[in-house]
Amino acid sequence: MTTVKDAQKQAESPQPADPDRLRQLAEEAGRALEDASALDVLRWAAETFGPRFCVTSSMEDAVVAHLASRAFPGVHVVFLDTGYHFPETIGTRDAVAAVMDVEVITLTPRQTVAEQDAEHGPRLHDRDPDLCCALRKVRPLEEGLRGYDAWATGLRRIESPSRADTPVVGWDEKRQKVKISPIARWTDADVEAYVAEHGVLTNPLLSDGYASVGCAPCTRRVAAGEDARAGRWAGFNKTECGLHL
Ligand code: SF4
């Protein structure tokens, strides 16, 4: 019988762990860590997966990267550079790399925006955002995560109905990896308190009417009372880029 200890041992090795063992580990840890603090969840991830664990960040803020750097100094922070980011987002990434004890890994799509325009026509994001996200986000992340057994996100349950059931530790069936959302239970006030207490870097656009920051062509400011993600892909029946589906 596979035990948690066996799965942890395999996950700690430099080779990819067996998916069945990782799945069992995710299920057991999901139950055990549901009420744990975000820092304790990340300490568990660091001890369990070591260098086969990374954090992903959209550079909306650096809360999870900051937490992870406390649990695992030098942790890899993976950023998807779609070629469509606001300058403020790239600036936030560069500031995180400069001042935090993390290693920022920037992933890029196979094609530049110009190459994509040549193949699919300009402004694919206006005509087929699902395909654009698949090419510029989903595929690069799948390729970039191949060297890891577990990844952490900044997903929070209150962000949108589609994120309401986000587990703190779960199984990413699509990528066959452990998916960790250490601040899944956090409220907006929890985030603000952590940012204030630790002086965490945040994207300047959050102070300029944007409640959620994604690619520039697909992000607008939100009005008072609107859902935080209402400014993403406005006009489309789309709320997620596919990274978390
Ligand atoms: Fe393309 Fe918009 Fe998706 Fe960015 S968010 S990858 S620009 S469709």
Side-chain angles (χ1 to χ4, degrees), residues 64-81:
V64 175
H66 187 274
L67 281 160
S69 73
R70 292 169 64 195
F72 187 6
V75 66
H76 288 183
V77 174
V78 173
F79 171 71
L80 281 168
D81 187 352

Side-chain angles (χ1 to χ4, degrees), residues 162 172 174-175 179 240-245:
S162 63
D172 180 351
K174 193 170 170 183
R175 301 177 186 86
K179 186 173 177 181
E240 297 284 350
C241 54
L243 299 180
H244 304 297
L245 296 175

Side-chain angles (χ1 to χ4, degrees), residues 69-239:
S69 73
R70 292 169 64 195
F72 187 6
V75 66
H76 288 183
V77 174
V78 173
F79 171 71
L80 281 168
D81 187 352
T82 63
Y84 280 118
H85 283 301
F86 291 101
E88 290 88 343
T89 301
I90 299 301
T92 303
R93 177 204 58 185
D94 293 345
V96 165
V99 306
M100 289 176 51
D101 192 357
V102 300
E103 183 175 346
V104 173
I105 311 286
T106 296
L107 304 179
T108 54
R110 291 182 189 173
Q111 292 184 317
T112 64
V113 170
E115 288 167 346
Q116 179 173 290
D117 286 353
E119 182 172 341
H120 296 280
R123 302 187 69 81
L124 182 62
H125 44 76
D126 287 352
R127 294 175 287 109
D128 191 345
D130 285 344
L131 177 58
C132 188
C133 280
L135 296 171
R136 310 202 74 74
K137 287 187 172 183
V138 178
R139 186 159 72 185
L141 185 71
E142 282 175 8
E143 292 171 351
L145 288 182
R146 281 186 190 144
Y148 304 96
D149 290 327
W151 62 301
T153 79
L155 295 182
R156 292 187 295 127
R157 292 173 187 167
I158 62 153
E159 288 175 318
S160 68
S162 63
R163 297 185 174 185
D165 297 324
T166 300
V168 171
V169 180
W171 176 242
D172 180 351
E173 182 67 34
K174 193 170 170 183
R175 301 177 186 86
Q176 301 282 289
K177 298 183 190 303
V178 179
K179 186 173 177 181
I180 301 162
S181 298
I183 61 170
R185 291 181 287 109
W186 284 27
T187 63
D188 290 347
D190 291 330
V191 173
E192 287 164 15
Y194 188 87
V195 167
E197 181 181 354
H198 297 278
V200 176
L201 286 161
T202 59
N203 193 311
L205 295 176
L206 294 178
S207 307
D208 189 21
Y210 293 86
S212 176
V213 181
C215 294
C218 303
T219 307
R220 65 158 172 79
R221 293 178 175 85
V222 293
E226 271 192 312
D227 185 279
R229 290 183 65 80
R232 305 287 295 277
W233 303 284
F236 285 93
N237 183 24
K238 176 177 170 70
T239 57

